[in-house]
Amino acid sequence: MSLTEKELLERDAKRNIGEELLAAIVDVKAGRQGVVHRVALTEAVGHAASRVDNGAALSTDANDG
């Protein structure tokens, strides 16, 4: 059963996100994590990753060709 918007807001108002994130980091560092999914790289992703690994800057400038 999903919560209503009001119920979600009430629940979230009581949460300490910083504490939850810190606990998650501690768990991962201790080797306690959930399911690990491995995704095969496509050629496009592999090419982009190799550009980053080789120090090529990925520019967001529209004039950069």
Coordinates of all heavy atoms in Angstrom, one line a residue:
M1 N 0.8 -1.2 0.0 CA 0.0 0.0 0.0 C 0.9 1.2 0.0 O 1.8 1.4 0.8 CB -0.9 0.0 1.2 CG -1.8 1.2 1.4 SD -2.8 1.0 2.9 CE -4.1 2.0 2.4
S2 N 0.7 2.1 -0.9 CA 1.5 3.3 -1.0 C 0.9 4.4 -0.1 O -0.2 4.4 0.2 CB 1.6 3.8 -2.5 OG 0.3 4.1 -2.9
L3 N 1.8 5.3 0.3 CA 1.4 6.4 1.2 C 0.9 7.6 0.4 O 1.3 7.8 -0.7 CB 2.7 6.8 2.0 CG 3.3 5.7 2.9 CD1 4.6 6.3 3.5 CD2 2.3 5.3 4.0
T4 N 0.0 8.3 1.0 CA -0.4 9.5 0.4 C 0.7 10.6 0.5 O 1.6 10.4 1.3 CB -1.7 10.1 1.1 OG1 -1.3 10.5 2.5 CG2 -2.8 9.0 1.1
E5 N 0.5 11.7 -0.2 CA 1.5 12.8 -0.2 C 1.6 13.3 1.2 O 2.7 13.6 1.7 CB 1.0 13.9 -1.1 CG 2.0 15.0 -1.2 CD 3.3 14.7 -2.0 OE1 3.3 13.7 -2.8 OE2 4.3 15.3 -1.8
K6 N 0.5 13.5 1.9 CA 0.5 14.0 3.3 C 1.3 13.0 4.2 O 2.1 13.4 5.0 CB -0.9 14.2 3.8 CG -0.9 14.7 5.2 CD -2.4 14.9 5.7 CE -2.4 15.4 7.2 NZ -3.7 15.5 7.7
E7 N 1.0 11.7 4.1 CA 1.7 10.7 4.9 C 3.2 10.7 4.6 O 4.0 10.5 5.5 CB 1.1 9.3 4.6 CG -0.3 9.1 5.2 CD -1.0 7.9 4.7 OE1 -0.7 7.4 3.6 OE2 -1.8 7.4 5.5
L8 N 3.6 10.8 3.3 CA 5.0 10.9 3.0 C 5.7 12.1 3.6 O 6.8 12.0 4.1 CB 5.2 11.0 1.4 CG 4.9 9.7 0.7 CD1 4.9 10.0 -0.8 CD2 6.0 8.7 1.0
L9 N 5.0 13.3 3.6 CA 5.6 14.5 4.1 C 5.8 14.3 5.6 O 6.8 14.7 6.2 CB 4.7 15.7 3.8 CG 4.7 16.1 2.4 CD1 3.7 17.2 2.1 CD2 6.1 16.6 1.9
E10 N 4.8 13.7 6.3 CA 4.9 13.5 7.8 C 6.0 12.6 8.1 O 6.8 12.8 9.0 CB 3.5 13.0 8.3 CG 2.4 14.0 8.3 CD 1.1 13.4 8.7 OE1 1.0 12.1 8.8 OE2 0.1 14.2 8.8
R11 N 6.1 11.5 7.3 CA 7.2 10.5 7.5 C 8.6 11.2 7.3 O 9.5 11.1 8.1 CB 7.1 9.3 6.6 CG 8.2 8.3 6.8 CD 8.4 7.4 5.6 NE 8.9 8.2 4.5 CZ 9.0 7.7 3.3 NH1 8.6 6.5 3.0 NH2 9.4 8.5 2.3
D12 N 8.7 11.9 6.2 CA 10.0 12.5 5.9 C 10.4 13.6 6.8 O 11.6 13.9 7.0 CB 10.0 13.0 4.4 CG 9.9 11.9 3.4 OD1 10.1 10.7 3.8 OD2 9.7 12.2 2.2
A13 N 9.4 14.3 7.4 CA 9.8 15.3 8.4 C 10.5 14.8 9.6 O 11.2 15.5 10.3 CB 8.5 16.1 8.8
K14 N 10.3 13.5 9.9 CA 10.9 12.9 11.1 C 12.2 12.2 10.8 O 12.9 11.7 11.7 CB 9.9 11.8 11.6 CG 8.6 12.4 12.1 CD 7.7 11.3 12.5 CE 6.3 11.8 12.7 NZ 5.3 10.8 12.8
R15 N 12.6 12.2 9.5 CA 13.8 11.5 9.1 C 15.1 12.4 9.3 O 15.0 13.6 9.2 CB 13.8 11.1 7.6 CG 12.7 10.0 7.3 CD 12.6 9.7 5.9 NE 13.8 9.0 5.4 CZ 14.0 8.7 4.2 NH1 13.2 9.0 3.2 NH2 15.1 8.0 3.9
N16 N 16.2 11.7 9.6 CA 17.5 12.4 9.6 C 18.3 11.8 8.5 O 19.0 10.8 8.6 CB 18.2 12.1 11.0 CG 19.5 12.9 11.1 OD1 20.1 13.2 10.1 ND2 19.9 13.1 12.3
I17 N 18.3 12.5 7.3 CA 18.9 12.0 6.1 C 20.4 11.9 6.3 O 21.0 10.9 5.8 CB 18.6 12.9 4.9 CG1 17.1 13.0 4.7 CG2 19.3 12.5 3.6 CD1 16.4 11.6 4.4
G18 N 21.0 12.9 7.0 CA 22.5 12.8 7.2 C 22.9 11.5 7.9 O 23.8 10.9 7.6
E19 N 22.1 11.2 9.0 CA 22.4 10.0 9.7 C 22.2 8.7 8.9 O 23.0 7.8 9.0 CB 21.4 10.0 10.9 CG 21.7 8.8 11.9 CD 20.8 8.9 13.1 OE1 21.0 9.8 14.0 OE2 19.8 8.2 13.2
E20 N 21.1 8.7 8.1 CA 20.9 7.6 7.2 C 22.0 7.4 6.2 O 22.4 6.3 5.9 CB 19.6 7.7 6.5 CG 18.3 7.6 7.4 CD 17.0 7.8 6.6 OE1 16.9 7.5 5.5 OE2 16.1 8.4 7.3
L21 N 22.5 8.5 5.6 CA 23.6 8.4 4.6 C 24.9 7.9 5.3 O 25.6 7.1 4.7 CB 23.8 9.8 4.0 CG 22.8 10.2 3.0 CD1 23.0 11.6 2.6 CD2 22.7 9.3 1.8
L22 N 25.2 8.4 6.5 CA 26.4 8.0 7.2 C 26.3 6.5 7.5 O 27.3 5.8 7.3 CB 26.5 8.8 8.5 CG 27.8 8.5 9.3 CD1 29.1 8.7 8.5 CD2 27.8 9.3 10.5
A23 N 25.1 6.0 8.0 CA 25.0 4.6 8.3 C 25.1 3.8 7.0 O 25.8 2.7 7.0 CB 23.6 4.4 8.9
A24 N 24.7 4.3 5.9 CA 24.8 3.5 4.6 C 26.3 3.5 4.2 O 26.8 2.4 3.7 CB 24.0 4.2 3.5
I25 N 27.0 4.5 4.4 CA 28.5 4.5 4.1 C 29.2 3.5 4.9 O 30.1 2.8 4.5 CB 29.0 6.0 4.2 CG1 28.5 6.9 3.1 CG2 30.6 5.9 4.1 CD1 28.8 8.3 3.3
V26 N 28.9 3.5 6.2 CA 29.5 2.6 7.2 C 29.2 1.2 6.7 O 30.1 0.3 6.7 CB 29.1 2.9 8.6 CG1 29.5 1.8 9.5 CG2 29.6 4.2 9.1
D27 N 28.0 0.9 6.3 CA 27.6 -0.5 5.9 C 28.4 -0.9 4.7 O 28.9 -2.0 4.6 CB 26.1 -0.5 5.6 CG 25.3 -0.6 6.9 OD1 25.8 -0.9 8.0 OD2 24.1 -0.4 6.8
V28 N 28.5 0.0 3.7 CA 29.2 -0.3 2.5 C 30.7 -0.6 2.7 O 31.3 -1.5 2.2 CB 29.0 0.8 1.4 CG1 30.0 0.6 0.2 CG2 27.6 0.8 0.9
K29 N 31.3 0.3 3.6 CA 32.7 0.1 3.9 C 33.0 -1.2 4.6 O 34.1 -1.8 4.5 CB 33.2 1.3 4.7 CG 33.5 2.6 3.8 CD 34.1 3.7 4.6 CE 34.5 4.8 3.8 NZ 35.2 5.8 4.5
A30 N 32.0 -1.6 5.4 CA 32.1 -2.9 6.1 C 31.8 -4.1 5.3 O 31.8 -5.2 5.8 CB 31.2 -2.8 7.4
G31 N 31.4 -3.9 4.0 CA 31.1 -5.0 3.1 C 29.7 -5.4 3.2 O 29.3 -6.4 2.6
R32 N 28.8 -4.7 3.8 CA 27.4 -5.0 3.9 C 26.6 -4.1 2.9 O 26.3 -3.0 3.2 CB 26.9 -4.8 5.3 CG 27.5 -5.6 6.4 CD 26.9 -5.4 7.8 NE 27.0 -4.0 8.2 CZ 28.0 -3.5 9.0 NH1 28.9 -4.3 9.5 NH2 28.0 -2.3 9.4
Q33 N 26.3 -4.7 1.8 CA 25.5 -4.0 0.8 C 24.5 -5.0 0.3 O 24.6 -6.2 0.4 CB 26.4 -3.4 -0.3 CG 27.0 -4.4 -1.2 CD 28.5 -4.6 -0.9 OE1 29.0 -4.1 0.1 NE2 29.2 -5.3 -1.7
G34 N 23.5 -4.4 -0.4 CA 22.4 -5.2 -1.0 C 22.9 -5.9 -2.2 O 24.1 -6.1 -2.4
V35 N 22.0 -6.1 -3.1 CA 22.2 -6.8 -4.4 C 23.1 -5.9 -5.2 O 22.9 -4.7 -5.3 CB 20.9 -7.1 -5.1 CG1 21.2 -7.7 -6.4 CG2 20.0 -8.0 -4.2
V36 N 24.1 -6.5 -5.9 CA 25.0 -5.7 -6.8 C 24.6 -6.1 -8.2 O 24.6 -7.3 -8.5 CB 26.5 -6.1 -6.5 CG1 27.4 -5.4 -7.5 CG2 26.8 -5.7 -5.1
H37 N 24.3 -5.1 -9.0 CA 24.0 -5.4 -10.4 C 25.2 -5.0 -11.3 O 25.7 -3.9 -11.1 CB 22.8 -4.6 -10.8 CG 21.5 -4.9 -10.1 ND1 20.7 -6.0 -10.4 CD2 21.0 -4.4 -8.9 CE1 19.7 -6.1 -9.6 NE2 19.9 -5.2 -8.6
R38 N 25.5 -5.8 -12.2 CA 26.6 -5.5 -13.1 C 25.9 -5.3 -14.5 O 25.2 -6.2 -15.0 CB 27.6 -6.7 -13.2 CG 28.2 -7.0 -11.9 CD 29.7 -7.2 -12.0 NE 30.3 -7.5 -10.7 CZ 30.9 -6.7 -10.0 NH1 31.1 -5.5 -10.3 NH2 31.4 -7.1 -8.8
V39 N 26.2 -4.2 -15.1 CA 25.7 -3.8 -16.4 C 26.8 -3.8 -17.4 O 27.8 -3.2 -17.2 CB 25.0 -2.4 -16.3 CG1 24.4 -2.0 -17.7 CG2 23.9 -2.4 -15.2
A40 N 26.5 -4.5 -18.5 CA 27.5 -4.5 -19.6 C 27.6 -3.2 -20.3 O 26.6 -2.5 -20.5 CB 27.1 -5.6 -20.7
L41 N 28.8 -2.7 -20.6 CA 29.0 -1.4 -21.2 C 28.7 -1.5 -22.7 O 29.1 -2.5 -23.4 CB 30.4 -0.9 -21.1 CG 30.9 -0.6 -19.7 CD1 32.4 -0.2 -19.7 CD2 30.0 0.5 -19.1
T42 N 28.0 -0.5 -23.2 CA 27.8 -0.4 -24.7 C 29.1 0.2 -25.3 O 29.9 0.8 -24.6 CB 26.6 0.4 -25.0 OG1 26.9 1.8 -24.6 CG2 25.4 -0.1 -24.4
E43 N 29.2 0.1 -26.6 CA 30.4 0.7 -27.2 C 30.4 2.2 -27.0 O 31.5 2.8 -26.7 CB 30.3 0.5 -28.7 CG 31.5 1.0 -29.5 CD 31.4 0.7 -31.0 OE1 30.8 -0.3 -31.3 OE2 32.0 1.4 -31.7
A44 N 29.3 2.9 -27.0 CA 29.3 4.4 -26.7 C 29.7 4.7 -25.3 O 30.5 5.6 -25.1 CB 27.9 4.9 -27.0
V45 N 29.3 4.0 -24.3 CA 29.7 4.2 -23.0 C 31.2 3.9 -22.8 O 31.9 4.6 -22.2 CB 28.8 3.4 -22.0 CG1 29.4 3.5 -20.6 CG2 27.4 3.9 -22.0
G46 N 31.6 2.8 -23.4 CA 33.0 2.5 -23.3 C 33.9 3.5 -23.9 O 35.0 3.8 -23.4
H47 N 33.5 4.1 -25.0 CA 34.3 5.1 -25.7 C 34.3 6.4 -24.8 O 35.4 7.0 -24.6 CB 33.7 5.5 -27.1 CG 34.4 6.6 -27.8 ND1 35.6 6.4 -28.3 CD2 34.0 7.8 -28.0 CE1 36.0 7.5 -28.8 NE2 35.0 8.4 -28.7
A48 N 33.2 6.8 -24.2 CA 33.2 8.0 -23.4 C 34.1 7.7 -22.2 O 34.8 8.6 -21.7 CB 31.8 8.3 -23.0
A49 N 34.0 6.5 -21.6 CA 34.8 6.2 -20.4 C 36.3 6.3 -20.7 O 37.1 6.8 -20.0 CB 34.4 4.9 -19.8
S50 N 36.7 5.8 -21.9 CA 38.1 5.8 -22.3 C 38.6 7.2 -22.5 O 39.7 7.5 -22.2 CB 38.3 4.9 -23.5 OG 37.7 5.5 -24.7
R51 N 37.7 8.1 -23.0 CA 38.1 9.5 -23.2 C 38.4 10.1 -21.9 O 39.3 10.9 -21.7 CB 37.0 10.3 -23.9 CG 36.9 9.9 -25.4 CD 36.0 10.9 -26.1 NE 36.6 12.2 -26.1 CZ 35.9 13.4 -26.2 NH1 34.6 13.3 -26.5 NH2 36.5 14.5 -26.1
V52 N 37.5 9.8 -20.9 CA 37.7 10.4 -19.6 C 39.0 9.8 -18.9 O 39.8 10.5 -18.4 CB 36.5 10.1 -18.6 CG1 36.8 10.5 -17.2 CG2 35.3 10.9 -19.2
D53 N 39.2 8.5 -19.1 CA 40.4 7.9 -18.5 C 41.7 8.4 -19.2 O 42.7 8.5 -18.5 CB 40.4 6.4 -18.8 CG 39.3 5.7 -17.9 OD1 38.9 6.3 -16.9 OD2 39.0 4.5 -18.2
N54 N 41.6 8.8 -20.4 CA 42.8 9.4 -21.1 C 42.9 10.9 -20.9 O 43.8 11.5 -21.5 CB 42.7 9.1 -22.6 CG 42.8 7.6 -22.9 OD1 43.5 6.9 -22.2 ND2 42.2 7.1 -24.0
G55 N 42.1 11.5 -20.1 CA 42.2 12.9 -19.8 C 41.5 13.8 -20.7 O 41.7 15.0 -20.6
A56 N 40.7 13.3 -21.7 CA 40.0 14.2 -22.6 C 38.9 14.8 -21.8 O 38.1 14.1 -21.2 CB 39.5 13.4 -23.8
A57 N 38.8 16.1 -22.0 CA 37.7 16.8 -21.3 C 36.4 16.7 -22.1 O 36.4 16.7 -23.3 CB 38.0 18.3 -21.2
L58 N 35.3 16.4 -21.4 CA 34.0 16.4 -22.0 C 33.4 17.8 -21.9 O 33.0 18.2 -20.8 CB 33.1 15.4 -21.3 CG 33.6 13.9 -21.4 CD1 32.7 13.0 -20.6 CD2 33.7 13.5 -22.8
S59 N 33.4 18.5 -22.9 CA 33.0 19.9 -22.9 C 31.5 20.1 -23.0 O 30.8 19.3 -23.8 CB 33.7 20.7 -24.1 OG 33.2 22.0 -24.1
T60 N 30.9 21.1 -22.4 CA 29.5 21.4 -22.5 C 29.4 22.6 -23.3 O 28.3 23.1 -23.5 CB 28.9 21.6 -21.1 OG1 29.6 22.6 -20.4 CG2 28.9 20.3 -20.3
D61 N 30.5 23.2 -23.9 CA 30.4 24.4 -24.7 C 29.9 24.0 -26.1 O 30.5 23.2 -26.8 CB 31.8 25.0 -24.7 CG 31.9 26.3 -25.5 OD1 30.8 26.7 -26.0 OD2 32.9 26.9 -25.5
A62 N 28.8 24.6 -26.5 CA 28.3 24.3 -27.8 C 29.2 24.7 -29.0 O 29.1 24.1 -30.0 CB 26.9 25.1 -28.0
N63 N 30.1 25.6 -28.7 CA 31.1 26.0 -29.8 C 32.3 25.1 -29.9 O 33.1 25.2 -30.8 CB 31.5 27.5 -29.6 CG 30.4 28.4 -29.7 OD1 29.5 28.2 -30.5 ND2 30.4 29.5 -28.9
D64 N 32.4 24.2 -28.9 CA 33.6 23.3 -28.8 C 33.3 22.1 -29.7 O 32.3 21.4 -29.6 CB 33.8 22.9 -27.4 CG 35.2 22.4 -27.1 OD1 36.1 22.8 -27.9 OD2 35.4 21.7 -26.1
G65 N 34.1 21.8 -30.7 CA 33.8 20.8 -31.6 C 34.6 19.6 -31.4 O 34.5 18.5 -31.8

